[in-house]
């Protein structure tokens, strides 16, 4: 894993967008893997700036998202489909037909998971996948205990995740209890992973993910085995790792 330490969230957003944009320029027909949550929002704003300046175009890109809440549709402001359109897709030239996000309204779990896995298979490998990390180590909505070999699945969100995500809702009770998520297998099949972490509340989990055992208890720990992960993290998110293992960071940085 390559660790890029940046000063703060603003720098993180710029650096991540640079890395992402370089991939699009290199391969305009690229398959992009998107995440939601608050961490990538700044990066999406930077990508929009690059699009507006004519540096990048998404016209030929395919895009696939990690996850979607169950029980709410694309017109619901809390859905990840709405989020992606509001924060990025409506402001760039990506074609609607090239956007893939699980359908949270499909109550037939098997049908929806099979449909999404078929899309993942047909798209081929995701060229670059953006990931955030949950405080409990989840990636996508693959909560602690998820099998590393799993495909797309419907998950029951943990109390920790509901607590962390309630900030996007008027009331905690409104946070959906279930979600569809791409499995860890799909994530690990990506050619390159750009993992983003910002803020002091990620410091502990970043430390555990990198220095701890590879265990389903910390789903993100599997990323230690991926050959091409870049962690872009700010000083606060790297605080614990740096103070406990300054040499380790140096070593990882040297990789
Ligand atoms: C959302 C997703 C989640 C988030 C994670 C961190 O698509 O994949 O795993 O990345 O919950 O969320 P933030 O960025 O809000 O801290």
């Amino acid at each position: 894993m390559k660790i890029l330490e940046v000063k703060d969230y603003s720098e993180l957003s710029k650096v991540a967008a640079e890395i992402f944009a370089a991939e699009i320029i290199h391969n305009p027909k690229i398959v992009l893997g998107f995440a939601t949550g608050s961490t990538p929002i700044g990066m999406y704003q930077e990508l929009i700036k690059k699009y507006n300046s004519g540096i990048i175009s998404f016209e030929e890109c395919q895009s696939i998202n990690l996850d979607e809440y169950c029980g709410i549709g694309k017109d619901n402001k809390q859905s990840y489909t709405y989020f992606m359109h509001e924060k990025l897709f409506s402001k760039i030239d990506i074609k609607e037909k090239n956007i893939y996000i699980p359908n949270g309204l499909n109550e037939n779990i098997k049908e929806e998971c099979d449909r999404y896995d078929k899309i993942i298979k047909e798209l081929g490998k995701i060229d670059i996948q953006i990931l955030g990390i949950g405080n409990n180590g989840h990636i996508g909505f693959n909560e602690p205990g998820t099998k590393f070999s799993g495909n797309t699945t419907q998950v029951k969100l943990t109390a920790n995740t509901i607590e962390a995500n309630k900030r996007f809702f008027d009331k905690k009770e409104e946070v959906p209890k279930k979600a569809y998520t791409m499995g860890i297998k799909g994530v690990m099949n990506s050619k390159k992973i750009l993992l983003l972490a910002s803020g002091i509340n990620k410091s502990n989990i970043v430390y555990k993910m990198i220095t701890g055992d590879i265990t389903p208890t910390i789903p993100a720990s599997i990323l230690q085995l991926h050959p091409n992960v870049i962690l872009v993290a700010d000083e606060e998110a790297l605080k614990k790792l740096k103070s406990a293992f300054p040499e380790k960071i140096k070593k990882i940085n040297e990789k």
Side-chain angles (χ1 to χ4, degrees), residues 35-40 66-67 80 131-134 138-141 165 167-168 202:
T36 60
S38 46
T39 314
L66 286 169
D67 43 17
Y80 284 172
L131 288 184
I133 179 168
H138 73 214
I139 45 176
F141 270 139
N165 287 8
R167 66 191 194 278
F168 298 112
K202 296 290 168 75

Side-chain angles (χ1 to χ4, degrees), residues 195-235:
L195 172 64
L196 310 178
S198 171
I200 198 70
N201 67 336
K202 296 290 168 75
S203 172
N204 197 31
I205 195 64
V206 165
Y207 166 82
K208 279 197 195 165
M209 166 194 77
I210 292 172
T211 63
D213 292 342
I214 297 167
T215 162
T217 314
I218 311 272
S221 62
I222 190 70
L223 299 175
Q224 292 178 31
L225 296 181
H226 191 283
N228 198 357
V229 179
I230 303 176
L231 166 64
V232 184
D234 59 21
E235 284 173 6

